[in-house]
Amino acid sequence: FMLCFICVSTFGILNLIVGVMVNAAMGVSRQDKQMVQLQRGRTRKQAFKRLKELMAYYDNRPQLKDPNEFTRADLFQMIDDSHGDAPEIKELFRILEVTPAELKKLLEGMEFGQTINVDE
């Protein structure tokens, strides 16, 4: 009887130790996940800010009253820019998780003369 009691007690104590270790690991994992989400949010915010700065660079269009509005032609010009900003703009869209297919769909969905407000 004593041997059976020792085996069951040892199993129970080891089970408690493993449970505590798993609980601690889950807590660290949860904190890590939260940190990754915060970092991703900061990165996206910085990318959006930089995209707005690049859009302001292209904002020499007197025909629009609001400097935060861009037409389809403006966005195509930014993406196909020969000045060298196109790779950066494409990278910013990648960070913002906008795929080329989604961007193309957005641009194709715009009517001629329609604008997009970047503050929305």
Side-chain angles (χ1 to χ4, degrees):
F1 175 73
M2 188 59 113
L3 183 61
C4 185
F5 176 74
I6 292 173
C7 289
V8 170
S9 297
T10 303
F11 180 73
I13 290 172
L14 288 176
N15 197 13
L16 286 173
I17 292 171
V18 169
V20 168
M21 291 172 61
V22 167
N23 191 25
M26 294 294 288
V28 169
S29 174
R30 192 174 318 129
Q31 287 177 343
D32 189 41
K33 194 177 208 180
Q34 289 173 346
M35 290 299 292
V36 167
Q37 288 175 343
L38 285 173
Q39 182 63 31
R40 178 183 274 168
R42 286 187 202 116
T43 303
R44 288 177 60 115
K45 193 178 231 182
Q46 290 170 347
F48 191 71
K49 182 179 178 185
R50 178 65 182 144
L51 187 60
K52 285 181 76 172
E53 288 171 1
L54 286 172
M55 288 180 168
Y57 168 76
Y58 284 90
D59 188 36
N60 55 3
R61 299 156 294 122
Q63 69 272 19
L64 292 177
K65 294 177 182 161
D66 187 350
N68 291 322
E69 290 184 345
F70 288 84
T71 64
R72 178 180 176 172
D74 296 327
L75 293 171
F76 272 123
Q77 178 189 356
M78 286 173 53
I79 293 168
D80 296 330
D81 181 27
S82 61
H83 298 355
D85 289 329
E88 182 180 4
I89 291 172
K90 289 177 183 175
E91 176 64 13
L92 292 173
F93 279 122
R94 187 195 64 76
I95 291 170
L96 294 170
E97 299 175 0
V98 177
T99 65
E102 290 172 333
L103 184 58
K104 184 178 179 184
K105 190 174 182 181
L106 170 73
L107 295 177
E108 288 175 351
M110 291 179 67
E111 296 176 10
F112 182 73
Q114 182 182 2
T115 61
I116 293 178
N117 190 313
V118 295
D119 286 333
E120 294 178 353

